[in-house]
Amino acid sequence: MSKEGLSMKRKILSTILALCLLLSLAPAASAAAQGALGSLSWTLSDDGTLTVGGIGAIPDYGKSGEASPTIDERPWGKYRDAVTKLVVQNGVTRIGDRAFQGFEKLESAELASSVGSVGIWAFQNCYALRNVQMPSDVAIEFGAFRSVPVETRLVSADGMPGGVNWSLSAAGTLTVSGSGAILDYNRSGEASPTIDERPWGKYRGSVKRLVVREGVTRIGSRAFQGFEALERIVVADSVGSVGVWAFQNCRALAKAELPDGVFLDTGAFRDAPVFAAPAPANDDTPAEDDAIHVAVNGAEVQWTDAAPFLDENGRTMVPLRAVGDALGLSVGWDDGAREASFTDGAKAIFFPIGSTEARAGLLGTIPMDTAAVIVDGRTYAPVRYLAEYFGYTVDWDGVSRTVVIESKGE
């Protein structure tokens, strides 16, 4: 072989060796990262797509110190700033607690029809997540999409008895539509179905707003009892009644839009700050049908020169002297401190005018959502806080517009 041929051969070999070296140093084209997780596998592509496949559930993860494995041991945790899209393939049955919490660059998620639930805080603080595709009947657990801007139907169930349908949005709006009545529900052990069988019961910590659309005829007993995050309800004119304890202990419920003439059964809004009964006419002397009554152990309290009224917070305010006499209490007034007092032996409660806190001896202060006031020279106080402090039960009869005060055990 000539010198020229030998030199050319060496150049070709050098070029081939250089190409092989470059290829060996280049990242794999198929995945930027990948791994196995029990019966599941996952890959992260160069374009930021995290794909999870296989059979079974993505594990639950907890904050460090809460549970093992901790949130820091998520196999994809170190890539939280690289993942922009999540694809969960068919066969995966659950998104575990905190599985993708804090993935602030995640913009979209596609969950296959096999996914039945999304765990606690699973996507919390995914601030860029605006597009989620998932099964219509997937169960969304507490806070799964908290602080996420996604706008989509996250939970729905069709074909409930009576033709009622419902959906829950990521923003916390529960919408009930269709035709017929929302069922009555009861505490476990009282009757079937129990309160725990409410289809939306597991989301009680997520629902902030309730919308009941035209066509629904009734809100059943205890249907939303204990929904403590619920702040507002909007109810269509087709709803004719609200059942027993339907919104009891909805302690954040500050606004309710109900149709005129809706029937409120016993305790429908008990311990909710809103009083959702139709308001009395806005004139100086309410019509007789709009009058508010108070009954103590079955005997109606008689008013002389003043009558109860609903304040702007929906609380029933009563003239002190008459209701104190009816409850067998001593009523006092401290002009210097500007506070009214009720006493029964050694037990006493004080209502400072204009304050949202009552004073109650060893109990300290009792927070209220309204305050004692003076109207036309008469002192009024919220009847529920007064009566319950002295051991009475207090209910509302929406038909007769009567505050029903009963001694416990009677």
Side-chain angles (χ1 to χ4, degrees), residues 54-368:
I55 304 294
I58 296 174
D60 293 332
Y61 294 91
K63 291 181 179 178
S64 182
E66 289 186 358
S68 182
T70 70
I71 194 170
D72 301 318
E73 293 175 354
R74 298 175 299 183
W76 39 72
K78 65 179 68 175
Y79 308 109
R80 57 187 293 179
D81 291 329
V83 177
T84 58
K85 181 179 180 181
L86 172 67
V87 177
V88 178
Q89 297 179 334
N90 202 44
V92 179
T93 57
R94 170 177 166 81
I95 309 296
D97 295 352
R98 298 186 175 89
F100 303 99
Q101 184 183 43
F103 274 57
E104 297 185 6
K105 302 296 178 63
L106 181 63
E107 299 174 356
S108 66
E110 300 175 6
L111 310 186
S113 59
S114 58
V115 175
S117 61
V118 179
I120 297 171
W121 313 117
F123 292 95
Q124 183 200 22
N125 294 343
C126 293
Y127 299 117
L129 183 56
R130 294 186 178 277
N131 183 23
V132 176
Q133 300 177 36
M134 62 174 61
S136 62
D137 58 350
V138 67
I140 308 298
E141 297 180 17
F142 181 79
F145 288 86
R146 184 173 182 179
S147 302
V148 173
V150 62
E151 295 179 0
T152 184
R153 283 164 55 104
L154 293 179
V155 187
S156 66
D158 298 326
M160 291 176 61
V164 176
N165 310 314
W166 64 278
S167 66
L168 174 63
S169 77
T173 296
L174 177 63
T175 302
V176 182
S177 59
S179 61
I182 296 174
L183 293 178
D184 292 330
Y185 294 92
N186 298 282
R187 291 177 181 172
S188 182
E190 291 185 358
S192 183
T194 70
I195 193 170
D196 301 317
E197 291 174 353
R198 297 175 299 184
W200 39 70
K202 66 178 69 175
Y203 311 112
R204 58 187 292 179
S206 302
V207 177
K208 296 181 180 179
R209 182 170 179 259
L210 171 67
V211 177
V212 180
R213 299 203 180 279
E214 192 71 25
V216 179
T217 58
R218 170 178 165 81
I219 297 175
S221 299
R222 296 188 173 91
F224 302 97
Q225 184 183 40
F227 274 57
E228 296 193 357
L230 182 62
E231 300 172 355
R232 179 184 178 189
I233 64 173
V234 180
V235 179
D237 290 341
S238 58
V239 174
S241 61
V242 179
V244 174
W245 314 116
F247 294 95
Q248 184 200 21
N249 290 336
C250 293
R251 302 183 188 277
L253 184 56
K255 186 173 183 180
E257 299 178 26
L258 294 179
D260 293 337
V262 64
F263 171 74
L264 302 182
D265 214 328
T266 303
F269 286 87
R270 183 175 181 179
D271 298 322
V274 64
F275 187 90
N282 293 323
D283 55 21
D284 293 335
T285 306
E288 181 63 27
D289 289 344
D290 289 330
I292 297 171
H293 309 276
V294 176
V296 177
N297 292 331
E300 184 171 348
V301 178
Q302 300 300 312
W303 316 108
T304 55
D305 56 354
F309 68 92
L310 297 180
D311 73 359
E312 61 184 5
N313 297 308
R315 286 300 185 186
T316 302
M317 307 293 283
V318 296
L320 296 182
R321 180 68 58 185
V323 79
D325 291 342
L327 294 175
L329 306 174
S330 297
V331 182
W333 169 256
D334 186 329
D335 193 52
R338 288 182 58 78
E339 66 179 16
S341 63
F342 294 84
T343 59
D344 182 9
K347 194 172 185 179
I349 187 171
F350 301 83
F351 293 91
I353 299 300
S355 175
T356 56
E357 290 184 338
R359 295 187 296 107
L362 295 177
L363 294 180
T365 58
I366 299 175
M368 305 185 297

Side-chain angles (χ1 to χ4, degrees), residues 1-14:
M1 181 180 291
S2 65
K3 290 182 178 181
E4 291 80 359
L6 183 59
S7 176
M8 180 60 70
K9 185 176 181 179
R10 287 174 177 172
K11 288 182 179 180
I12 293 172
L13 290 173
S14 297

